[in-house]
């Protein structure tokens, strides 16, 4: 959906077209391959491969605490004496912080550039993980998780801005899917190697190991990525007048609403899947943690594949249809109470459908980002996703405390169904708008 930010003294269309072209944007509004977008010149072609790996790692660390709290949930409940409701509250506090700070975080990334933003988010992730590992009880744990909301607020704006600066338009979908799969790489790391390390050395040692790895990655970011010219630097094109907004509008508003509902369901699955396996299905702690790893692997494959498929003509329809598949995944979790092996199929389906839908929404944001606004636009949609992560687990936690997991998964199915309705309604409106534009 095209968006205009025009003031009364705006230049003529012809002059605007010439100005856009010199700023790295074609007359059609698409960034020109190989030409940096306003303030987004962060990564050259020679470092593109390294950047993809680095961005993937940054996304993994930005949300690693969520998956660690889910995978280590049975141990935290036993050793720190926290209730399932409190476990859900950790997610609420972390992502509530991220949701509130995301719009401001996007503006910060647009100003300082992705290199410094990525280093900051990795160091903040390391600090949050270190404090989680030192937590003596629920209160300290919740404070540490709140700190972990800061890197989450920076993650999508910083990584999306780096992609727009260094990757040609034809490859952006694939690279976006790869870096978004970093979130699920974090789920895999939490559910398998780190969960195994927790069984060997204890859960605190596992969390501290993750904190150390985040510091190493921050050093990598500072050494591998060249500095960026901030958006306010001399000679750097600025966003159009009137572009700065802390509220999503147009297509961004639809994507934020979709992400809100999707986030409610995904966060509930991430937080309670391992606990469901251990407490309701009587799986060993290692097997329950492996459910999170399976979800992570499926999410990696799904995010890469669906992001590649998200061409401009097809992308608007994908969020709605992927959310419809997620409804089926939630219903499989309900059925797993009677047929235990279905829980593994459900974990795969959540990764392939629900988790992948978030990656496609980021592709859509970049396809529609105005010059110099990649960070801000990404942050506004991410704020909706994080708000869903803050709201979903506490609602599920009330049902989990009452051992009503079946009703909890039914609630998740309803949240995914709502996301499906929003996604498909927006896609229909988009098609109608394109048809009217073609007839004009």
């Amino acid at each position: 959906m095209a968006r205009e930010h025009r003031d009364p003294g705006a230049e003529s269309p012809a002059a605007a077209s010439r100005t856009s072209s010199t700023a790295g944007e074609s007359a059609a509004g698409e960034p020109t391959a190989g030409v940096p977008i306003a303030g987004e010149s962060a990564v050259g072609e020679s470092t593109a491969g390294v950047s993809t790996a680095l961005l993937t790692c940054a996304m993994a660390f930005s949300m690693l605490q969520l998956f660690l709290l889910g995978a280590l949930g049975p141990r935290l409940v036993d050793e720190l004496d926290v209730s399932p409701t409190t476990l859900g509250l950790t997610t609420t506090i972390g992502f509530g912080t991220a949701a509130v700070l995301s719009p401001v975080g996007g503006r910060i990334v647009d100003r300082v550039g992705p290199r410094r933003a990525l280093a900051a988010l990795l160091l903040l992730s390391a600090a949050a993980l270190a404090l989680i590992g030192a937590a003596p009880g629920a209160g300290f744990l919740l404070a540490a998780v709140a700190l972990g909301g800061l890197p989450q607020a920076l993650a999508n704006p910083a990584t999306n801005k780096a992609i727009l600066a260094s990757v040609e338009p034809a490859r952006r979908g694939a690279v976006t899917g790869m870096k978004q799969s970093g979130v699920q790489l974090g789920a895999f790391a939490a559910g398998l190697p780190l969960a195994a390390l927790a069984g060997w050395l204890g859960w605190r040692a596992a969390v501290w190991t993750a904190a150390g790895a985040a510091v190493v990655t921050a050093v990598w970011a500072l050494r591998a990525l060249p500095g960026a010219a901030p958006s306010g630097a001399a000679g750097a094109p600025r966003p159009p007048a009137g572009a700065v907004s802390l509220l999503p509008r147009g297509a961004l508003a639809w994507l934020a609403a979709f992400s809100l509902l999707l986030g409610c369901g995904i966060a509930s699955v991430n937080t309670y899947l391992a606990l469901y396996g251990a407490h309701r299905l009587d799986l060993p702690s290692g097997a329950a943690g492996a459910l999170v790893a399976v979800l992570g692997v499926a999410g990696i494959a799904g995010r890469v594949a669906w992001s590649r498929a998200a061409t401009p003509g097809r992308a608007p329809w994908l969020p709605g249809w992927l959310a419809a598949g997620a409804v089926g995944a939630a219903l499989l979790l309900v059925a797993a109470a009677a047929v235990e092996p279905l829980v593994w199929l459900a974990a795969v389906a959540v990764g392939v459908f629900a988790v992948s839908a978030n990656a496609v929404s980021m592709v859509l944001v970049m396809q529609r980002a105005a010059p110099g606004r990649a960070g801000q636009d990404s942050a506004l949609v991410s704020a909706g996703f994080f708000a869903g992560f803050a709201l979903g687990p506490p609602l599920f936690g009330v049902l989990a405390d009452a051992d009503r997991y079946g009703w909890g998964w039914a609630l998740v199915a309803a949240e995914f169904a709502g996301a499906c309705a929003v996604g498909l309604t927006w896609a229909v409106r988009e098609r109608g708008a394109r048809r009217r534009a073609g007839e004009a």
Side-chain angles (χ1 to χ4, degrees):
M1 176 182 295
R3 294 184 317 230
E4 293 187 0
H5 305 279
R6 190 183 300 270
D7 62 34
E11 58 191 331
S12 69
S17 177
R18 289 192 299 272
T19 303
S20 296
S21 298
T22 62
E25 183 187 17
S26 69
E30 289 286 38
T32 305
V35 180
I37 297 175
E40 291 166 10
S41 181
V43 186
E45 289 294 333
S46 61
T47 60
V50 173
S51 300
T52 301
L54 178 58
L55 298 181
T56 302
C57 290
M59 292 298 297
F61 281 112
S62 72
M63 291 180 63
L64 183 59
Q65 69 168 15
L66 164 71
F67 298 112
L68 275 174
L69 291 171
L72 302 178
R75 291 181 171 87
L76 295 175
V77 167
D78 295 336
E79 294 186 30
L80 294 184
D81 195 28
V82 299
S83 68
T85 300
T86 303
L87 188 64
L89 190 59
T90 61
T91 305
T92 298
I93 289 177
F95 285 96
T97 302
V100 171
L101 295 179
S102 280
V104 176
R107 295 179 67 181
I108 291 173
V109 171
D110 281 336
R111 288 183 177 275
V112 306
R115 177 177 177 265
R116 284 181 284 183
L118 285 171
L121 82 85
L122 288 163
L123 292 174
L124 287 168
S125 294
L129 289 166
L131 291 173
I132 288 171
F140 194 99
L141 179 67
L142 294 177
V145 168
L147 177 62
L150 298 177
Q152 294 162 24
L154 296 172
N156 274 315
T159 53
N160 287 352
K161 199 170 183 68
I163 288 172
L164 283 172
S166 63
V167 180
E168 60 185 6
R171 295 185 58 246
R172 284 177 189 158
V175 175
T176 301
M178 184 62 69
K179 71 95 176 174
Q180 289 292 128
S181 73
V183 175
Q184 301 315 119
L185 179 63
F188 175 79
L192 202 59
L194 289 175
L197 186 62
W200 180 34
L201 298 177
W203 70 269
R204 295 182 190 275
V207 177
W208 286 332
T209 299
V215 172
V216 172
T217 309
V219 174
W220 179 21
L222 289 172
R223 293 176 63 89
L225 296 179
S231 61
R238 299 175 180 269
V244 174
S245 172
L246 296 181
L247 293 176
R249 294 182 173 86
L252 293 180
W254 284 95
L255 290 172
F258 170 84
S259 297
L260 170 68
L261 292 165
L262 188 74
C264 284
I266 292 177
S268 297
V269 175
N270 287 341
T271 305
Y272 289 103
L273 180 59
L275 205 61
Y276 176 60
H279 288 185
R280 185 64 181 272
L281 304 183
D282 295 323
L283 295 177
S285 293
L291 284 170
V292 180
V294 168
L295 188 158
V297 172
I300 290 171
R303 285 184 173 218
V304 173
W306 288 115
S307 295
R308 285 179 180 273
T311 58
R314 183 187 298 150
W317 294 97
L318 289 180
W321 290 119
L322 290 174
V327 174
L331 295 178
L332 284 174
L333 288 169
V334 176
V339 184
E340 181 183 303
L342 288 178
V343 73
W344 299 96
L345 181 59
V348 172
V350 170
V352 169
F353 294 111
V355 170
S356 301
N358 172 246
V360 172
S361 72
M362 286 295 106
V363 174
L364 282 161
V365 169
M366 287 192 290
Q367 288 174 351
R368 289 160 169 72
R373 276 189 54 94
Q376 179 73 359
D377 289 356
S378 299
L380 291 174
V381 174
S382 294
F385 191 60
F386 294 148
F389 267 66
L391 294 172
L395 298 176
F396 194 106
V398 173
L399 297 170
D401 273 344
D403 198 32
R404 296 185 178 275
Y405 280 98
W407 284 106
W409 299 131
L411 173 63
V412 170
E415 290 161 349
F416 287 152
C420 174
V422 172
L424 292 179
T425 300
W426 174 65
V428 170
R429 288 170 59 93
E430 279 278 286
R431 182 176 63 181
R434 286 196 302 270
R435 285 179 175 175
R436 288 191 296 272
E439 294 171 357

